């Protein structure tokens, strides 16, 4: 078995009460780091990617390569997930390409402002009908997770409301729900250590109790470790200080009902640290094979640690 849906992957995780990391990839070597880490730790895993956010110039080229790569890991249960699909059309393209899960992000309107509940329901429902007819899982978003996927804008955080979450799930039939509980996307999150008043994990518990068959997703949950930022900055980077979501908070969230833990920036930082260190160690080198391999190995080390932390390590046999 290789490709499974998020519904299957997360149903098993819910039954055994563990979390599954969904790691953003922007390149094939990053995807290989995720899959190698999953293989090394015997983990199920979610590989996720944003449309257009890669160096290949064409989603269909990158997505085809991702699927071909996943074929090389028959022992790893993997869901291939579209992160933050902006439109129905983008989700349809991903489903046609072979993704087993898509996210339709109906939380913002075309101008980037919070969308109405009704328009979010309408667009999400269209994707659910199309995807479920084809055996593909769907994630929706309620409330607005702050920050931005690429750091260029900063959407306001609008927290998810438990009663609305229950109504949203009933009206759309989503398999997974991204809930805004105070996290934000990107490499710049909190300017002070997050406290209970910033990250509203109590909301996770309230929502989980109301939608027991829908898998909750924590977006924007990178930790932004000092150690990774220091490695990048020691080799010419200039990544400003910021606090992310502490490891203990992620473990607490899983205990309260979060099943899918989205992490992009930590993986990007670890990969970039490896690349920068390789280039700094040998300034005359111009061989991408060497520095990209260093990025992959650096990322894999971090990903293995996260798979152990989330409890997915050692769980692949549950899918066989
Ligand atoms: P980070 O920006 O914290 O890595 O979160 C990624 C994410 O939530 C992707 O949807």
């Amino acid at each position: 078995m290789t490709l499974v849906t998020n519904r299957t992957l997360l149903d098993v995780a819910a039954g055994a009460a563990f979390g599954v990391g969904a790691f953003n990839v922007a390149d094939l070597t990053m995807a290989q780091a995720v899959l190698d880490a999953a293989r090394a730790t015997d983990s199920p895993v979610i590989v996720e990617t944003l449309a257009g956010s890669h160096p290949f110039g064409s989603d269909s080229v990158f997505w085809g390569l991702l699927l071909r790569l996943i074929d090389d890991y028959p022992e790893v249960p993997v869901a291939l997930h579209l992160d933050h699909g902006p439109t129905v059309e983008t989700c349809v393209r991903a489903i046609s390409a072979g993704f087993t899960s898509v996210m339709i992000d109906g939380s913002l309107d075309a101008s980037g402002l919070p969308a109405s509940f009704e328009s979010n329901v309408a667009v999400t429902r269209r994707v659910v009908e199309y995807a479920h007819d084809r055996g593909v899982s769907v994630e929706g978003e309620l409330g607005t997770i702050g920050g931005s996927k690429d750091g260029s804008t900063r959407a306001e955080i609008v927290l998810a409301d438990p009663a609305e979450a229950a109504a949203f799930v009933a009206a759309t039939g989503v398999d997974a729900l991204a809930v805004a509980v105070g996290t934000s996307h990107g490499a710049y999150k909190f300017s002070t250590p997050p406290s209970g008043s910033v990250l509203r994990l109590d909301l996770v518990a309230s929502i989980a109790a109301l939608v027991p068959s829908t898998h909750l997703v924590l977006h924007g949950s990178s930790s932004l470790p000092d150690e990774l930022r220091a490695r990048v900055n020691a080799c010419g980077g200039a990544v400003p200080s910021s606090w992310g979501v502490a490891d203990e908070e992620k473990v607490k969230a899983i205990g309260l009902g979060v099943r899918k833990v989205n992490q992009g920036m930590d993986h990007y930082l670890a990969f970039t640290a490896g690349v920068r260190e390789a280039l700094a160690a040998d300034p005359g080198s111009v061989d991408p094979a060497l520095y990209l391999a260093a990025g992959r190995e650096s990322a894999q080390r971090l990903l293995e640690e996260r798979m152990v932390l989330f409890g997915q390590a050692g769980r692949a046999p549950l899918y066989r």
Side-chain angles (χ1 to χ4, degrees):
M1 153 171 0
T2 305
L3 271 180
V4 293
T5 63
N6 257 357
R7 170 53 83 181
T8 302
L9 203 83
L10 299 176
D11 276 354
V12 172
F18 62 91
V20 181
F23 301 104
N24 286 78
V25 300
D27 180 63
L28 265 195
T29 39
M30 295 186 77
Q32 216 184 349
V34 175
L35 293 163
D36 284 344
R39 178 185 270 160
T41 57
D42 212 11
S43 301
V45 78
I46 299 166
V47 173
E48 68 179 17
T49 189
L50 292 159
S53 189
H54 51 74
F56 292 87
S58 150
D59 282 338
S60 70
V61 169
F62 182 43
W63 295 354
L65 291 169
L66 281 177
L67 284 156
R68 166 64 193 83
L69 178 69
I70 289 169
D71 270 350
D72 269 11
Y73 294 79
E75 73 279 42
V76 179
V78 187
L80 180 60
H81 176 76
L82 177 73
D83 191 27
H84 290 283
T87 60
V88 175
E89 182 273 333
T90 313
C91 293
V92 167
R93 274 198 297 121
I95 292 165
S96 308
F99 281 57
T100 56
S101 177
V102 293
M103 175 181 187
I104 174 70
D105 184 351
S107 67
L108 297 175
D109 66 18
S111 45
L113 296 170
S116 71
F117 179 80
E118 291 72 23
S119 76
N120 191 355
V121 165
V123 72
T124 305
R125 209 184 143 81
R126 277 180 64 200
V127 173
V128 169
E129 281 165 6
Y130 185 88
H132 282 185
D133 277 352
R134 290 156 182 82
V136 170
S137 305
V138 178
E139 176 180 327
E141 175 169 327
L142 195 67
T144 309
I145 294 156
S148 74
K149 273 61 88 183
D150 60 6
S152 60
T153 56
R154 293 204 58 79
E156 287 302 309
I157 299 174
V158 180
L159 296 179
D161 172 76
E164 265 195 1
F168 185 80
V169 165
T172 60
V174 286
D175 303 281
L177 183 64
V179 284
V181 293
T183 58
S184 63
H185 292 110
Y188 322 109
K189 299 191 191 299
F190 309 115
S191 51
T192 56
S195 67
S197 60
V198 176
L199 207 58
R200 293 282 309 279
L201 289 183
D202 57 309
L203 277 181
V204 171
S206 313
I207 296 170
L210 292 175
V211 294
S213 314
T214 305
H215 300 299
L216 300 188
V217 184
L218 193 66
H219 278 243
S221 59
S222 279
S223 311
L224 310 179
D226 280 340
E227 178 259 336
L228 288 182
R229 195 170 30 243
R231 283 175 56 202
V232 170
N233 290 350
C235 297
V239 180
S241 284
S242 176
W243 275 272
V245 179
D247 286 353
E248 314 83 75
E249 299 281 310
K250 284 180 260 200
V251 171
K252 232 186 270 173
I254 292 167
L256 292 171
V258 161
R259 287 295 145 240
K260 176 171 176 275
V261 187
N262 280 23
Q263 307 232 201
M265 278 306 143
D266 285 352
H267 183 194
Y268 287 19
L269 279 169
F271 189 89
T272 302
V275 170
R276 280 191 177 274
E277 283 169 348
L279 288 169
D282 185 0
S285 166
V286 292
D287 186 351
L290 298 179
Y291 59 77
L292 291 177
R296 174 174 56 71
E297 284 159 17
S298 168
Q300 184 182 339
R301 287 195 294 277
L302 172 93
L303 293 163
E304 287 185 21
E305 285 169 20
R306 293 294 154 84
M307 289 175 189
V308 171
L309 184 77
F310 301 158
Q312 71 208 81
R315 307 296 191 142
L318 294 176
Y319 297 84
R320 291 181 189 132

